[in-house]
Amino acid sequence: MKSRLLVGMLLIIMALAGCTNDNVNDSKQKKQNEEKKQEIKVVEEKSYKYDGKFTYTAVIKNESKKTLNINDLKINYVNEKDKVDENNVPTNVHVAPYILKPGEKAYISAEALTDLTKFKNYDVKMTLPDIKPANDVMKLAVNKNSVKINEDIQGHKDIEDDQVINIVGTVRNNTKKFAEYTMIGAGMYGKNHEFIGTAFGGSEGNLKPGDSRSFDLISPEIPQKELAKVKQFNVSATTYFNK
């Protein structure tokens, strides 16, 4: 009888220990998820839903104390019940720069490849990949006075519905290293600095230290009435080097 009682008590203790273990693990996982969410902060965002299309643009910031690689950033759209659309196709995400040091910002856009007409309300959820930065990143100098809308392209009859915007300017390699590739992202703003959207591109060819070259950026599809409000630009140009 005593042995049965001891076995019973032992089983109860083991069960309680298992529950405690599960609770600790759940709590630890929840904390890790919360910490990961806090690494990236959405500073500004704007979405456009029209003609069965959906475009999401944003400015995000690295709020962590470590350098992050966000090149494979994933974005899914969820409905008002917090569920991802069953027919959701992975969105085409543009991001620049994709390596962020602590406190730095990046520009992103994602166009939905799914029918969102049934979504009266929606939210955007980002998944940050667990990838360590493979390269070092350095910022290049952008001639702010050169940045403008390319009027030769804008409004051209060959561009259907004129729902994209082209931005041109010049960038200079102000580093002491040879830049093989330049990645450029821009935030577009109205006259009162209200956020309207993003644009992306790069400069062609290599850049020697001190050299300058022109760039041409293009936005995702955004309604023309919104693009007409664009008056100001914040441009970030970066290059990557092997460590």
Side-chain angles (χ1 to χ4, degrees):
M1 188 66 151
K2 285 184 179 180
S3 61
R4 287 183 184 178
L5 185 61
L6 285 171
V7 170
M9 289 179 67
L10 185 60
L11 289 173
I12 292 171
I13 290 169
M14 288 174 68
L16 288 172
C19 289
T20 305
N21 238 1
D22 289 343
N23 289 337
V24 169
N25 289 335
D26 289 344
S27 179
K28 187 177 179 181
Q29 186 63 48
K30 187 175 180 181
K31 184 179 179 182
Q32 287 175 345
N33 290 339
E34 288 301 317
E35 286 174 353
K36 200 163 189 179
K37 285 180 184 177
Q38 291 170 9
E39 289 181 348
I40 292 292
K41 178 182 179 182
V42 177
V43 179
E44 296 174 295
E45 63 182 345
K46 199 73 177 283
S47 58
Y48 301 99
K49 185 179 177 182
Y50 64 102
D51 298 335
K53 301 175 184 178
F54 184 86
T55 298
Y56 174 81
T57 62
V59 180
I60 59 177
K61 183 180 179 182
N62 180 1
E63 293 270 293
S64 74
K65 296 180 180 179
K66 58 186 178 182
T67 299
L68 300 176
N69 185 331
I70 57 172
N71 191 37
D72 290 327
L73 183 74
K74 306 296 182 188
I75 295 182
N76 287 316
Y77 299 105
V78 299
N79 59 22
E80 65 272 15
K81 294 182 180 179
D82 204 36
K83 292 186 178 179
V84 177
D85 176 20
E86 292 177 353
N87 301 313
N88 189 41
V89 178
T91 52
N92 185 20
V93 181
H94 295 280
V95 55
Y98 70 83
I99 296 178
L100 288 182
K101 293 180 180 179
E104 288 188 335
K105 296 178 182 178
Y107 302 99
I108 66 170
S109 77
E111 295 179 77
L113 301 177
T114 184
D115 181 13
L116 291 168
T117 54
K118 61 184 177 182
F119 284 47
K120 292 183 179 179
N121 299 304
Y122 59 85
D123 189 15
V124 176
K125 289 194 173 181
M126 300 183 194
T127 304
L128 187 65
D130 189 17
I131 304 174
K132 291 183 178 180
N135 302 306
D136 196 9
V137 56
M138 296 184 74
K139 288 200 171 186
L140 302 182
V142 175
N143 183 345
K144 293 182 180 180
N145 294 327
S146 70
V147 182
K148 61 182 180 180
I149 295 172
N150 189 343
E151 299 293 351
D152 293 335
I153 295 179
Q154 208 62 30
H156 196 279
K157 63 182 180 180
D158 292 337
I159 299 180
E160 186 179 354
D161 297 327
D162 201 20
Q163 290 173 336
V164 297
I165 196 167
N166 286 80
I167 302 165
V168 293
T170 58
V171 61
R172 180 173 62 87
N173 182 0
N174 56 313
T175 75
K176 295 180 181 180
K177 295 184 179 182
F178 193 83
E180 294 184 4
Y181 179 72
T182 303
M183 180 179 285
I184 304 173
M188 305 184 296
Y189 298 84
K191 63 179 181 180
N192 297 317
H193 209 69
E194 66 274 20
F195 180 66
I196 294 172
T198 54
F200 304 89
S203 66
E204 294 183 4
N206 301 323
L207 271 178
K208 296 178 182 178
D211 279 1
S212 295
R213 186 167 279 112
S214 62
F215 62 76
D216 191 346
L217 313 181
I218 188 168
S219 73
E221 289 193 35
I222 295 173
Q224 173 55 32
K225 64 178 183 178
E226 298 298 327
L227 293 179
K229 299 175 184 178
V230 176
K231 303 295 179 186
Q232 305 175 55
F233 310 96
N234 283 353
V235 183
S236 172
T238 50
T239 189
Y240 303 93
F241 302 102
N242 291 325
K243 288 183 177 180

